[in-house]
Amino acid sequence: MDDLSLGKLAVEAKSKAMPTYSKFHVGAALLAEDGKVYNGGNIETSSYSLTICAERTAVFQAIIEGQRKFKSIAIASDAEDYCPPCGACRQVLLDLCGKDLDVILINAKEEIIKYKITELIPHSFGEDFLK
Ligand code: THU
C-alpha cells in the first residue's frame, strides 16, 4: 500500500471517530507488516481526560489482534493543516510499533508529509532503560 492510499484510509477513518465534546475528528490508518490495515478514531468521554486519541485506538486494536510488526501509520484530522500526533501517542507508537515506523500526515488538500517516529520523539525513553 502506498503512502497516499494509507492517508486516504485515515481520512475515511475520521467518520468512525466519536469526538463528542471537541467536535474535532481525527482518523488513523495503521499498516501492519502483513499488509493488514487497522483504523482508529478519537473517542471522547464526559470526563475529558479519559479521551483516547485516534492513533492509540488503531494501535491497541492491532496489538489485541496479534499484530507485532508495523510499517506505517497515517493520520488525518478536521484541520486544514497536517495533524501531528500528540506527545503521548508518539511514545506509544515508538514503544509498540518500533523505531522504523513511518508516520504519514495528510492535510485537507490530500497532500502528505512523512516522518520517522524517531524524528518526532528524539531523546526518548524506552525499553532499553528497563533491561
Ligand atoms: N487527538 C487525536 O486523536 N490524536 C492526536 O494525536 C491529537 C489529538 C484528539 C484527542 C481529542 O479527542 C481531540 O483530538 C482534541 O484534542
Side-chain angles (χ1 to χ4, degrees):
M1 159 123 12
D2 64 76
D3 295 344
L4 183 58
S5 301
L6 193 68
K8 287 181 178 174
L9 291 179
V11 174
E12 278 178 32
K14 283 199 303 168
S15 65
K16 306 255 175 65
M18 199 178 172
T20 310
Y21 303 97
S22 72
K23 313 288 183 206
F24 185 72
H25 296 76
V26 183
L30 174 66
L31 178 63
E33 211 164 80
D34 67 1
K36 210 166 164 198
V37 175
Y38 294 83
N39 291 319
N42 53 327
I43 302 172
E44 298 179 354
T45 76
S46 62
S47 183
Y48 299 160
S49 63
L50 302 182
T51 289
I52 184 163
C53 292
E55 298 88 326
R56 277 177 283 158
T57 61
V59 175
F60 294 156
Q61 180 68 33
I63 293 285
I64 216 69
E65 287 195 18
Q67 295 287 354
R68 293 293 183 270
K69 293 197 163 161
F70 301 96
K71 284 185 175 165
S72 51
I73 186 168
I75 304 162
S77 81
D78 287 340
E80 290 289 309
D81 203 353
Y82 302 107
C83 178
C86 77
C89 287
R90 292 177 195 210
Q91 182 72 50
V92 169
L93 291 171
L94 178 69
D95 281 341
L96 300 185
C97 300
K99 290 180 174 145
D100 282 336
L101 186 77
D102 287 322
V103 179
I104 298 152
L105 309 181
I106 181 164
N107 67 12
K109 290 182 185 158
E110 298 207 328
E111 298 160 332
I112 58 170
I113 187 168
K114 182 155 85 171
Y115 299 97
K116 279 278 173 209
I117 186 62
T118 45
E119 290 180 82
L120 297 179
I121 181 165
H123 314 293
S124 56
F125 183 77
E127 61 184 358
D128 292 348
F129 288 89
L130 302 174
K131 282 176 182 161

